[in-house]
Amino acid sequence: MWNRHTHSTAFIQRAMITDCTRCLDRANLISRMGNCHTPRPSAVSALSVAFVLSVVAPLCALQAAENSPTFEHEIKPLLEQKCFECHGNGKTKGGLSLASLTEVVKGSESGPVVVPGNPEASLLYSLVESGEMPREGARLSKEQVRLIHDWIEKGQFPSAGDAKPKGKIITEEDRQFWSFVPPVRPELPELPETDEDAAARTSIDHFILRKHKEAGLKMKQEADRRTLIHRLYFDMLGLPPTPQEIERFVASEDPKAWVKLVERVLESPHYGERWGRHWMDVAGYAESSLIVGDFVRPDFWRYRDYVIDSFNDDKPYDQFVIEQLAGDELVDWRGADAFTPDMIEKLVATGFLRCAPDGTDNQLITQEDKRYDAQQTAVEVSTKAIMGLTLNCVRCHDHKYDPILQEEYFSMISFFQPAYDPENWISGNLNTFGAGPVRAIPLLDKAGREQWERHCQQVFDEQAETLYQIDYGIENSFRDRYISDRLDQFDADRREALRKALKLSEREREQEEIALVFEAAKELAITSKLLRATFPEMNDRYKEAQTRMSQQRKEFNASQPELIWGLWDVSTQPSPAWFLSRGDYHEPTHEVDPGVMMVLDGHLDQPFAKVLEASVNPTPHSTGRRLALARWLTQPDHPLTARVMVNRIWQYHFGNGIVYSTDDFGKRGSPPTHPELLDWLAVEFVENGWSIKHMHRLILNSTTFRQAAGTVGAASLLSGFPRRRLDAELIRDRMLAVSGLLDETTGGESVPTVEFSAGTHLVDPEHPGRYRRSVYLTTQRSTQPTILKVFDGPVMETNWPHRHSSTVAPQALTLMNHPFVREAAEALANRIVNCPGEAAEDRTCYAFQLVYGRDPRPEERQLLKSAGGENSDWTLIAHALLSSNEFLYVD
């Protein structure tokens, strides 16, 4: 969104001369200086330069050793410098653009300019070798001409022909696999009218009861009302019911009390917090991008709020999917003078496609492989989330088990190519080092966005200059003075050459002059310590520059607008998506068009070709590719979309899905335990407007859900409700609720976490929102609050479709010693001691009602009485109650 700014890379080159000569001879290095991978010049800090010295310099040495130049790393920067005046940045003199490998291969009006493997027959090489091109500016040096020669001779080029690899053949047997056929509503099983079977309350019970009969099982009796209300509240809200709510439900004689309670929880704002968290697991939501520094993206919490609001509003699931895949293509936000609430919502929704780790953040030099990784991971996570298919292995070969071709993988990539375009890349994160642009949208009107872009340009340039002075400029200016004072120590020829070079500023010097000064400094044994001793005023210059940098960053942070981290098409004319042999971006073979899996498409009333033909894209600023994909996915008869989602809903209610492998509906995934029920639910879901709350009502009002807790052995057939430990977030939230600390504020900025001694991470104890629900805590991929991590809170490397529940010693130790648990225990003890009214006469009863929602049993009363009765240490008792299994588990 922000304009790219220009800045000299001379000081990067000098840094590399200093460091890389350890591996390469100076002449070879200098010849390669203009060819290092610098796709977009940007400001550089000390940390960025450290990155160059530690990573890029060895890469240059490695490339020199291999002697096989690549277009993106070495040739394109050279062409940008020498040829883009006529053949780049939108200019195509003679019909030739050199801005991408695709356009180079395409050639000019006169025909091809490159013949792969034959430099002498290539027009591009002939023109630069003879000096005819470039017509303006300095000719290419001999080393640069040689680089062009080596690239044409040994580099990787996409195939000009249409030969495609032969993949597996999709058979009719493949097409008839259960999950690749559209679901059809089966007839409800007929059950004999016995006392047991009369317990069927919803259609779901018919399918479950039939399985019970086949397996020789019986439905458990209905759980007691205290158990049911706890189960419902934790399942749907993630919070415990209050003692008053429990007693009101238990005492109610209304035959529809349960149905009304279900409706009440569905209308609670806490419902979206609980079920939105489930979807964020599926999407892989985290506010940081993991790879370099794991910095938190400011304002990425907007996507979290979008998800929560969507669940609370019961947004139809098909609309939910379309907005997340292509919300930017539903509104003409770039053509509008100001954002409307609808535009903001649609743009924020596309944060779904930004949840995947992105290794192109905070990099001085964006490595090309990181671009492909970010693009492909975003595609793979979204297909797992929506279609329940794993495509990771199809990067490199046809799927070993499922009828999915490698060709189809890159056709899926093609949908996302206009937004995640490796040849027209936008960095994945906002950093503090002055690099840009970034894939973020300032939440301003059109004029404000344009003004902000200009402001960023100015700030980045100022920071770049200040950083340059701190990193190199100040020291090198005094180095030049030191050399000038000692020119008589060199022979006449070198003295004259040095005098000429030192009259120029560093940025004006040619590479040979840079190397000349460097060698002189080396011979004079110039060090920072020597310069500081010789020129004491250096320290003052450094202090001034550091103060200036601090002030620049402070002013920039203060002026930063709110941001939307979404996805949009960078261009309506994206670079081609290539079929990559063995998944290697160095080996493109042929161009692929947007397309879907044949094994799915053949079953649909509206195959993809018709969907694409009928798709109308309302905005002129995008290709409409992702919108077409989203509409194909949300057809009523799509084999997977509805099945996968209702299976997820079932999983979060009962602990496991009807298909256990919730992200894998392929041949290596788990078969459904109740296939007819799964299809019935999928059709019911679609026919009722893709309403998630409708599915909740069917499940929650069923006898299956209302059973007493059952044994683990019959869990797959649901002969009894499976007992489960609370999720990590719910344990913390329950402690906050019963202790009276819970802050029920919804939405808005995330609550930060901080690192304490021994690697412990806590919610910031000074933050005013420290008692908010766990869904509002900052989510970083590399770190999370210890209280959540130890209870299996997910670490979002990609996504987390199924939570695990472990039982390990650190959990008990955390409950004993963690500062948050002790704080909650103290707050609960104060609440017990200061209980209102008649409850003060029996604090033990009040404590158990708060924590467990029931009265203490006789043996529990006796235990507390023998421990001191009303004079007991209530902090210890509260701590014990919060650490018990009854508190951590729900029946």
Side-chain angles (χ1 to χ4, degrees):
M1 190 66 197
W2 298 339
N3 291 329
R4 306 186 189 278
H5 66 283
T6 58
H7 179 69
S8 171
T9 58
F11 63 98
I12 302 176
Q13 296 174 343
R14 281 188 293 277
M16 294 176 67
I17 289 176
T18 303
D19 196 71
C20 297
T21 44
R22 301 170 188 172
C23 305
L24 301 175
D25 65 274
R26 183 172 60 83
N28 183 22
L29 178 67
I30 293 173
S31 73
R32 305 177 67 84
M33 266 308 170
N35 311 317
C36 293
H37 174 42
T38 53
R40 295 294 184 269
S42 61
V44 185
S45 69
L47 180 58
S48 300
V49 172
F51 172 80
V52 173
L53 298 181
S54 63
V55 178
V56 180
L59 284 177
C60 289
L62 180 61
Q63 287 183 349
E66 293 176 346
N67 200 26
S68 179
T70 64
F71 178 80
E72 196 68 32
H73 283 199
E74 299 179 280
I75 302 304
K76 186 177 179 180
L78 176 58
L79 298 178
E80 284 181 338
Q81 179 185 1
K82 299 290 187 179
C83 308
F84 271 30
E85 185 66 27
C86 299
H87 303 288
N89 296 326
K91 300 176 183 179
T92 56
K93 190 171 182 179
L96 174 63
S97 173
L98 302 176
S100 71
L101 180 60
T102 305
E103 292 169 308
V104 172
V105 172
K106 182 180 178 182
S108 68
E109 295 172 351
S110 303
V113 297
V114 168
V115 179
N118 192 344
E120 285 71 21
S122 300
L123 180 61
L124 176 63
Y125 174 71
S126 299
L127 291 175
V128 298
E129 195 273 338
S130 65
E132 294 182 55
M133 294 290 177
R135 290 182 177 171
E136 298 180 5
R139 294 177 52 181
L140 273 66
S141 67
K142 291 181 180 180
E143 291 82 4
Q144 291 169 332
V145 171
R146 188 67 189 174
L147 189 69
I148 296 286
H149 177 280
D150 292 349
W151 167 63
I152 295 175
E153 183 178 49
K154 303 175 183 179
Q156 295 288 341
F157 292 87
S159 171
D162 58 358
K164 297 182 180 180
K166 295 180 180 180
K168 65 166 70 174
I169 297 174
I170 307 300
T171 66
E172 187 58 29
E173 182 182 358
D174 291 328
R175 297 179 190 278
Q176 295 307 315
F177 184 69
W178 73 267
S179 68
F180 301 150
V181 179
V184 176
R185 187 192 291 271
E187 294 292 330
L188 283 182
E190 293 185 5
L191 300 173
E193 294 184 3
T194 64
D195 291 342
E196 178 188 338
D197 299 327
R201 290 187 171 92
T202 72
S203 300
I204 289 171
D205 295 325
H206 287 255
F207 293 97
I208 299 299
L209 287 167
R210 185 174 69 176
K211 276 286 186 180
H212 285 175
K213 288 187 177 297
E214 293 173 357
L217 299 171
K218 290 186 177 181
M219 191 86 75
K220 292 286 189 297
Q221 75 277 11
E222 183 171 310
D224 65 81
R225 286 198 167 190
R226 291 184 188 276
T227 298
L228 282 177
I229 190 172
H230 272 91
R231 181 185 300 172
L232 178 65
Y233 269 60
F234 283 114
D235 184 22
M236 299 303 295
L237 307 181
L239 291 171
T242 65
Q244 295 77 16
E245 288 170 327
I246 295 171
E247 294 308 317
R248 188 161 52 246
F249 176 63
V250 170
S252 176
E253 298 181 0
D254 185 346
K256 295 185 177 181
W258 175 257
V259 175
K260 291 179 179 179
L261 185 63
V262 167
E263 292 303 316
R264 194 153 58 244
V265 298
L266 286 173
E267 293 305 314
S268 169
H270 298 308
Y271 158 72
E273 295 171 336
R274 170 63 169 153
W275 279 78
R277 178 67 260 182
H278 291 322
W279 180 258
M280 286 183 264
D281 282 3
V282 172
Y285 169 78
E287 293 170 77
S288 64
S289 54
L290 181 64
I291 308 299
V292 179
D294 202 32
F295 294 102
V296 173
R297 294 169 176 162
D299 301 332
F300 194 50
W301 53 263
R302 294 181 189 281
Y303 175 71
R304 175 205 67 207
D305 284 0
Y306 163 82
V307 172
I308 291 173
D309 292 342
S310 295
F311 274 88
N312 278 332
D313 296 340
D314 197 21
K315 180 174 290 185
Y317 180 67
D318 59 340
Q319 180 184 345
F320 187 57
V321 168
I322 290 171
E323 289 178 357
Q324 291 180 97
L325 287 178
D328 60 300
E329 297 191 303
L330 295 173
V331 290
D332 185 13
W333 60 276
R334 278 179 286 197
D337 290 332
F339 287 124
T340 65
D342 184 55
M343 289 178 183
I344 294 173
E345 181 183 29
K346 299 296 192 297
L347 290 172
V348 169
T350 61
F352 170 71
L353 297 172
R354 301 296 312 282
C355 288
D358 187 343
T360 66
D361 63 335
N362 293 312
Q363 289 194 352
L364 165 67
I365 298 175
T366 302
Q367 295 163 299
E368 191 177 6
D369 62 321
K370 299 294 192 299
R371 301 180 185 183
Y372 284 93
D373 283 344
Q375 176 201 62
Q376 293 165 356
T377 303
V379 175
E380 290 162 8
V381 170
S382 61
T383 53
K384 282 195 296 182
I386 297 169
M387 287 196 289
L389 291 178
T390 57
L391 300 187
N392 307 51
C393 64
V394 196
R395 287 191 194 187
C396 304
H397 52 76
D398 292 344
H399 204 292
K400 188 175 181 180
Y401 303 105
D402 295 331
I404 304 173
L405 308 180
Q406 188 184 10
E407 180 84 12
E408 294 172 337
Y409 175 87
F410 290 105
S411 290
M412 290 293 292
I413 291 290
S414 186
F415 286 109
F416 298 83
Q417 185 83 2
Y420 279 114
D421 190 339
E423 293 189 18
N424 194 9
W425 195 259
I426 298 181
S427 181
N429 199 3
L430 175 69
N431 62 55
T432 59
F433 312 130
V438 177
R439 193 178 294 281
I441 304 169
L443 198 51
L444 303 167
D445 59 24
K446 190 173 184 179
R449 293 198 299 273
E450 292 172 354
Q451 181 180 358
W452 173 249
E453 291 171 5
R454 292 191 295 270
H455 174 64
C456 288
Q457 176 92 27
Q458 178 184 351
V459 171
F460 291 159
D461 288 343
E462 291 174 352
Q463 287 190 358
E465 178 59 29
T466 306
L467 284 168
Y468 164 70
Q469 292 299 328
I470 293 173
D471 293 337
Y472 291 101
I474 294 173
E475 180 171 316
N476 287 351
S477 66
F478 284 100
R479 175 206 63 192
D480 291 353
R481 282 178 58 183
Y482 191 93
I483 295 173
S484 295
D485 294 341
R486 292 160 179 80
L487 285 177
D488 56 356
Q489 296 184 27
F490 301 95
D491 60 52
D493 290 342
R494 287 189 67 192
R495 185 163 56 246
E496 186 57 32
L498 280 169
R499 183 177 291 110
K500 181 181 177 182
L502 293 172
K503 287 181 179 180
L504 301 173
S505 68
E506 280 198 289
R507 293 186 177 91
E508 295 173 330
R509 294 171 190 167
E510 296 295 332
Q511 292 174 354
E512 291 78 4
E513 294 169 324
I514 293 172
L516 183 66
V517 174
F518 169 76
E519 290 292 346
K522 185 176 180 181
E523 290 181 23
L524 294 174
I526 298 175
T527 64
S528 295
K529 184 176 181 180
L530 174 64
L531 291 175
R532 288 176 185 270
T534 307
F535 306 106
E537 62 269 30
M538 273 185 66
N539 291 325
D540 295 334
R541 290 276 300 278
Y542 272 115
K543 289 179 181 178
E544 291 171 3
Q546 289 164 349
T547 301
R548 186 163 62 252
M549 173 55 68
S550 177
Q551 185 63 27
Q552 286 170 347
R553 287 181 173 172
K554 184 177 180 181
E555 291 175 355
F556 178 71
N557 292 335
S559 66
Q560 181 176 299
E562 298 178 63
L563 300 172
I564 297 174
W565 295 90
L567 196 75
W568 64 91
D569 284 0
V570 177
S571 170
T572 56
Q573 299 295 325
S575 66
W578 296 102
F579 181 98
L580 305 180
S581 177
R582 299 186 298 276
D584 186 349
Y585 70 95
H586 284 127
E587 297 189 32
T589 62
H590 62 273
E591 185 177 345
V592 294
D593 295 322
V596 296
M597 294 83 165
M598 291 185 293
V599 73
L600 301 174
D601 199 41
H603 291 290
L604 300 175
D605 289 339
Q606 290 287 318
F608 177 70
K610 289 187 177 180
V611 174
L612 187 62
E613 182 180 345
S615 291
V616 177
N617 186 26
T619 169
H621 302 288
S622 61
T623 62
R625 291 187 188 181
R626 284 175 287 114
L627 184 57
L629 173 63
R631 287 171 174 161
W632 178 79
L633 283 167
T634 53
Q635 293 183 83
D637 60 341
H638 194 282
L640 289 170
T641 306
R643 271 194 183 117
V644 169
M645 188 56 186
V646 297
N647 188 65
R648 295 193 191 281
I649 295 171
W650 190 271
Q651 170 199 336
Y652 292 125
H653 278 300
F654 294 107
N656 286 304
I658 297 173
V659 177
Y660 279 19
S661 54
T662 51
D663 266 8
D664 188 358
F665 273 49
K667 292 185 177 181
R668 294 288 288 179
S670 305
T673 57
H674 300 74
E676 290 186 339
L677 173 58
L678 181 63
D679 281 7
W680 190 94
L681 289 171
V683 176
E684 179 76 7
F685 185 39
V686 173
E687 291 183 355
N688 284 272
W690 300 81
S691 169
I692 294 174
K693 286 189 177 182
H694 175 72
M695 306 311 294
H696 288 317
R697 293 184 180 97
L698 284 173
I699 293 172
L700 296 174
N701 288 312
S702 69
T703 302
T704 304
F705 183 85
R706 293 163 68 170
Q707 293 179 92
T711 59
V712 175
S716 63
L717 299 181
L718 292 173
S719 176
F721 191 86
R723 191 183 198 213
R724 286 180 289 164
R725 198 198 68 202
L726 297 177
D727 290 344
E729 295 92 339
L730 270 60
I731 293 173
R732 177 179 176 274
D733 293 352
R734 187 176 189 179
M735 289 184 181
L736 289 171
V738 301
S739 65
L741 294 174
L742 180 64
D743 177 355
E744 297 189 32
T745 303
T746 60
E749 294 186 19
S750 298
V751 180
T753 60
V754 293
E755 183 174 359
F756 280 73
S757 59
T760 300
H761 285 81
L762 303 175
V763 179
D764 186 350
E766 304 299 323
H767 195 276
R770 61 190 178 278
Y771 299 133
R772 296 184 69 193
R773 292 197 66 175
S774 301
V775 73
Y776 297 116
L777 302 182
T778 297
T779 54
Q780 278 185 272
R781 296 183 190 276
S782 59
T783 61
Q784 60 181 156
T786 303
I787 188 68
L788 303 184
K789 184 176 182 179
V790 76
F791 285 103
D792 308 301
V795 178
M796 289 299 178
E797 293 181 2
T798 52
N799 71 329
W800 203 271
H802 199 139
R803 296 276 186 109
H804 302 288
S805 181
S806 65
T807 303
V808 293
Q811 294 168 351
L813 295 172
T814 298
L815 292 172
M816 291 173 60
N817 301 308
H818 197 280
F820 167 75
V821 180
R822 300 179 71 87
E823 182 184 15
E826 291 174 3
L828 175 60
N830 290 333
R831 193 177 181 189
I832 295 169
V833 170
N834 297 307
C835 58
E838 297 179 359
E841 298 178 4
D842 189 351
R843 290 189 175 92
T844 301
C845 184
Y846 184 61
F848 274 73
Q849 288 174 347
L850 284 176
V851 179
Y852 301 141
R854 64 172 176 83
D855 290 336
R857 302 183 183 99
E859 61 270 21
E860 291 167 335
R861 285 181 178 274
Q862 184 61 39
L863 179 63
L864 292 180
K865 184 177 180 180
S866 62
E870 293 301 306
N871 296 318
S872 300
D873 185 336
W874 285 103
T875 298
L876 291 178
I877 295 172
H879 200 161
L881 295 176
L882 296 181
S883 304
S884 65
N885 277 349
E886 186 173 352
F887 187 82
L888 300 176
Y889 286 80
V890 62
D891 287 332

